Amino acid sequence: MNPKIERFLREQKPETPCLVVDLSVVKKNYHKIRRELPLADVYYAVKANPAPDILKLLVGLGSYFDAASGGEIGQCLAAGAKADRISYGNVIKKERDIAEAFSHGVRLFAFDSEAELLKLAAAAPGSQVYCRILVPNQGADWPLSRKFGCDLEMARDLMIRARDLGLQAYGISFHVGSQQHDAHQWDVALARTAMVFTDLRNAGIELKMVNLGGGFPVQYRDAPGKAELPSFKAFAAAIMKGMTRHFGNDLPRMLIEPGRAIAAEAGVIETEVVLIARKSYDDPLRWVYLDVGMFGGLAETMNESIQYAFRTPADGRAESPVAIAGPTCDGVDILYEKAGYTLPVDLKIGDRVQVLRAGAYTTTYSSVGFNGFPPLKEHYI
Ligand SMILES: *Cc1c(COP(=O)(O)O)cnc(C)c1O
């Protein structure tokens, strides 16, 4: 548990549920990524946590930004980011949003289809564009599926088309899936990326950039039988090995788009136990209902995909099996039923329980007021 957040919680007793973020951890994570992978420009994936305090801090540290919408671009600009440090990385954009980004000075755009490329040619003439390719998402706890990217043949054709439309055919991007455990997945994706580079060189187009996406994982729950994750350093080493293997000495510009790896570890959600109950007299399983759930910000517990670690005032004492659920009247508002969670037998109604490493993908996932529960409150310290 982060001592600065612990002190804040003890002294301020903020109303629950709330997220408390220690900005010094955001800074530490940014520096670690820069140190371990110095050749890559860091484009923070704004969707992980777009809080002004985080964006302003990252602007000050010299970060670039990966934005997905006019809203996120506006948040970056408001935090002081220069438009030439923003990539409009969503491959699904309205033409008027592209035009607005262009009018603010954004000149770097992603696409993965012909129709999107035509929008870019019309609304962002002359801009640098990069094509997102499909890559396997094996090994990711939060895969991004077939929704994004196109195959290699199409990517090659579209990049030629981009040049013919007067755009700058700039590079290739991929995303190996969020919370990716397997560093080898970057090598698989880089092999595919290099094939497109070669094909395009033969067509007279020299691509200049590889966008390696995000996906760098965070150690959430230490469950028995769950392997320790490799460090960021190990991912960085695997990436550099893949880069030299597939591109030789003449490396293109490298971009990475970490979201989770920058924001998650910096935040703790403070919650309160609302109810502890059993379903029958002889059922050993306790149901623990917290005042935060799937609709209060913990949407990544969907399918029990992201398994957060919890801290309680009774830690260290005997534990027994629990299901953990949120406070709303929706049946899907269950955090964990099958993932084998246990909590202390002494846990009581009214106890404050902390959800650790919850600084990414929580506040903006929180509903605006389902069942009358307000959105997750936030404190940046
Ligand atoms: C969500 C997203 C990211 C960030 O992914 P993390 O797994 O949080 O690092 C990066 N790039 C794109 C295009 C994304 O959609």
Side-chain angles (χ1 to χ4, degrees), residues 45 47-48 66 89 132 175 177-179 213-216 257-261 361:
K47 77 173 186 290
D66 170 52
R132 181 158 169 179
H175 196 302
S178 198
Q179 188 68 5
F216 308 101
E257 301 175 328
R260 195 184 297 283
Y361 303 117

Side-chain angles (χ1 to χ4, degrees), residues 187-267:
D187 188 72
V188 173
L190 283 170
R192 296 166 70 91
T193 303
M195 285 163 70
V196 185
F197 268 65
T198 304
D199 277 0
L200 283 165
R201 188 168 298 131
N202 295 335
I205 295 176
E206 200 66 46
L207 296 182
K208 298 208 167 55
M209 181 277 280
V210 175
N211 179 340
L212 301 134
F216 308 101
V218 166
Q219 187 78 48
Y220 286 103
R221 180 164 74 134
D222 301 311
K226 267 206 158 183
E228 241 335 82
L229 285 172
S231 63
F232 184 81
K233 196 188 184 98
F235 285 90
I239 285 173
M240 285 320 297
K241 214 165 130 201
M243 287 298 294
T244 28
R245 180 185 355 235
H246 300 294
F247 291 93
N249 291 325
D250 190 17
L251 295 185
R253 182 184 174 212
M254 294 165 61
L255 271 54
I256 53 168
E257 301 175 328
R260 195 184 297 283
I262 286 186
E265 207 199 316

Side-chain angles (χ1 to χ4, degrees), residues 96 330 360 378:
R96 57 181 180 277
D330 194 308
E378 308 168 53

Side-chain angles (χ1 to χ4, degrees), residues 132 135-140 142-144 174-180 182-190 212-216:
R132 181 158 169 179
V135 294
N137 274 198
Q138 270 143 32
W142 193 258
L144 295 160
F174 57 79
H175 196 302
V176 295
S178 198
Q179 188 68 5
Q180 173 60 261
D182 179 9
H184 178 65
Q185 294 303 317
W186 274 271
D187 188 72
V188 173
L190 283 170
L212 301 134
F216 308 101

